[in-house]
Each structure stands twice: as C-alpha cells, then as structure tokens.
Amino acid sequence: MKRLISILATLIFIQIAVFAQKQIPTAPAGFDVNQETIPHGKIDTIQYASKTVGVARKATIYFPPGYLKTKKYPVLYLLHGIGGDEKEWLNGGKPQVIFDNLYASGKLEPMLVVMPNGRAMKDDRAIGNIMAPEKVAAFANFEKDLIQDLIPYVEKSYNVFKDRNHRALAGLSMGGGQSLNFGLGNLDTFAWVGGFSSAPNTKLPAELLPDPAKGKAMLKLLWISCGDNDRLINFSQRTHEYLVEKNVPHIYYVEPGVHDFKVWKNDLYLFSQLLFKPVDQASFQKYSLNP
C-alpha cells in the first residue's frame, strides 16, 4: 500500500510538473502600469457615417508608438460589453498602457486598434435598461454596421491593409459573443478572432461554425478564454468542446478569475501578442489547462 501511494504521488508530481511546463503564465506584474520613460501611442475619437443606423457614430482608435501615415498597418477591432461603449476598454482596461508596454518590449506587431460602440442604434448610450430587447437587438445589428460602415471608413481614412489576413476581431463578454458570431460568420472578412468571457449572445457552436473544414482552412487564430469562476464559462466551454470534436485548431485559455477586467486585460495581453505574426498551431496546447 505504501508503495502504491508513493507511485501515485510520483505520478501526480510528474503531472503537475508537465502542467507547469506547458501552461502559459498570466501577464507579469506591471504589464498594465504606465511607464513614463517609454514611447506612447496616440488615442483619438473618430466619427463615421453609418448607413445601417442612419446617423454618425463614434469609435475610439489607438495608434501605435511611432505611427507613420506612410506605412500600412493591420487592424484589430476590439469590442466592449453590454454595459459599455466605445470608451469602456479605455476606462476599465487601459489597453493603450498594455500595448505601449508590449511595444517597448518588442512583443507586438504594429497595428491600429479600433474600439467602436457595439450597440448599433440611434441612441447608443449605455443608459437605462441595458438589457432592454431593442438594445440587445442593437448588438446583433452591429454586424452590418461593422462590416458595411465602420471597416470601409477605417480603410478609406487610414493607410491600412484591406484583406482578411490583416483584420482581427475580439471582445469581452457581450463583445466576445459578437466577435465569435461576426468573426466566424464572416471568415472572408476576419482571419483572427477572439472571444473573452463570451456572453449568452454567443450562437450555438454548430451555428457559429457550420462548416468546420472552412474554419480550419481560413482561420489564422481562434482564441476562446474565460475565468474559471465566471458564471458564463459554459458558453466558452461548449464552443471549445465543439471545436475539439470537429478538429478545428484553437486556443482555449481558462484562467483564474471571474467576469471582470482583471481577466480581460490578461486576455488582451496574451491574445494581442499572437496577432499578425506567423502562426504555430503546435504552440496552442501551451495555453490549455490540460497537461
């Protein structure tokens, strides 16, 4: 019996050791702390004509340090949650600080980051009953606004690449559901897709990706992440299980945490470093909690 216990203890130790070697760590301390001595990017507000909504709509845009109008850039479209707007990421996640620090460390590919208002309706403010049916419907309506209005505006106004391989879409909570719905539903538009703690608006897996072979062939990166104590984790889990069943390469990153910006900032830190670079699908397993 003692020998059996000893063997089991050894096996558990080996399993933990393998897990520790494989698991990608969370962001290091200070990753989201402003550093005065490094170059900083620029933040601006843009306004575009939305034929979908019938009004001019606003978005926030981040330009990387050393931005040059003569250089072409890829674009990350970064979406907010149900209670937010085009400034939610700036107010809660400070992505400009995370990006500035990553650029200073040479870990990020230069890109523009567009943070729109994902509530596509005339009064798109996050006020009153944010769960009202017409406001929830406006998040679905944003798919048309994004693809037919916002992206063409960005590509006309800035020197950016205009092909799917240089467009990424990601978001948190409601925006995570939007990113999976719109990104996987428009593979001719996006090659890089990320859902952080995706909300109940996320479509059923078979609706998200009815043609797994097409997704496997066209996606550069599909990222799904969630906090291990997030009550919404089942939406990410079911999508992950479907993708495993259909043999679609993806990253499923479960991390310590709940439904908050501590988790989403870490997701952005890790996800952004993978964008617009050569993809090594063999490395995807390093993000898995499973040894």
Side-chain angles (χ1 to χ4, degrees):
M1 178 62 71
K2 289 183 178 180
R3 184 181 179 186
L4 177 60
I5 292 174
S6 176
I7 292 173
L8 288 174
T10 301
L11 290 174
I12 291 172
F13 175 80
I14 291 173
Q15 185 178 38
I16 292 173
V18 171
F19 169 82
Q21 290 172 1
K22 284 190 173 183
Q23 178 68 12
I24 294 292
T26 55
F31 80 103
D32 55 352
V33 176
N34 184 59
Q35 300 181 50
E36 295 293 342
T37 58
I38 65 172
H40 294 87
K42 177 187 175 184
I43 299 169
D44 201 357
T45 297
I46 60 176
Q47 187 166 285
Y48 64 99
S50 172
K51 294 180 181 178
T52 300
V53 180
V55 297
R57 308 196 69 228
K58 292 181 179 179
T60 303
I61 186 167
Y62 166 87
F63 301 92
Y67 170 74
L68 296 172
K69 292 182 179 181
T70 56
K71 178 181 177 179
K72 276 195 173 183
Y73 294 86
V75 184
L76 164 62
Y77 293 87
L78 188 61
L79 310 184
H80 61 80
I82 193 168
D85 56 22
E86 69 275 8
K87 294 189 181 298
E88 183 182 36
W89 268 103
L90 293 180
N91 294 333
K94 304 296 182 186
Q96 71 278 24
V97 175
I98 296 172
F99 292 143
D100 287 348
N101 291 343
L102 283 171
Y103 282 122
S105 300
K107 295 181 178 180
L108 208 60
E109 189 69 19
M111 69 184 85
L112 301 190
V113 182
V114 177
M115 292 164 274
N117 186 319
R119 193 180 294 99
M121 58 192 303
K122 284 185 169 63
D123 185 354
D124 59 8
R125 294 174 296 168
I127 59 173
N129 179 12
I130 60 173
M131 301 290 290
E134 66 273 15
K135 294 186 178 180
V136 173
F139 277 92
N141 192 42
F142 180 65
E143 178 175 10
K144 184 178 178 182
D145 180 68
L146 171 66
I147 294 174
Q148 297 187 12
D149 300 316
L150 178 56
I151 290 177
Y153 170 84
V154 170
E155 295 183 349
K156 180 179 179 181
S157 303
Y158 302 99
N159 193 10
V160 298
F161 293 101
K162 299 178 181 181
D163 62 281
R164 61 180 300 277
N165 289 331
H166 293 91
R167 291 193 208 102
L169 179 64
L172 66 89
S173 194
M174 195 74 162
Q178 286 178 307
S179 296
L180 295 180
N181 293 345
F182 307 163
L184 298 180
N186 295 278
L187 291 173
D188 57 337
T189 303
F190 303 101
W192 314 78
V193 178
F196 309 159
S197 308
S198 299
N201 63 319
T202 308
K203 292 179 180 179
L204 291 170
E207 295 176 22
L208 278 177
L209 199 62
D211 186 349
K214 182 178 179 181
K216 185 175 180 179
M218 297 187 72
L219 283 165
K220 294 283 188 180
L221 172 65
L222 175 54
W223 168 288
I224 298 169
S225 58
C226 198
D228 58 1
N229 283 307
D230 189 327
R231 60 185 176 81
L232 300 182
I233 194 171
N234 60 303
F235 298 102
S236 297
Q237 180 68 29
R238 74 184 186 187
T239 304
H240 161 64
E241 291 173 352
Y242 174 83
L243 295 171
V244 170
E245 177 188 343
K246 301 301 182 181
N247 196 31
V248 179
H250 66 288
I251 287 175
Y252 182 49
Y253 185 77
V254 178
E255 60 206 286
V258 293
H259 200 74
D260 63 15
F261 264 106
K262 182 179 180 182
V263 166
W264 303 325
K265 288 194 295 183
N266 181 64
D267 295 337
L268 184 63
Y269 172 86
L270 296 173
F271 174 76
S272 63
Q273 293 182 63
L274 301 173
L275 296 178
F276 312 121
K277 297 177 179 178
V279 177
D280 177 16
Q281 292 184 351
S283 70
F284 287 6
Q285 64 180 334
K286 295 181 180 180
Y287 293 84
S288 174
L289 283 173
N290 301 313

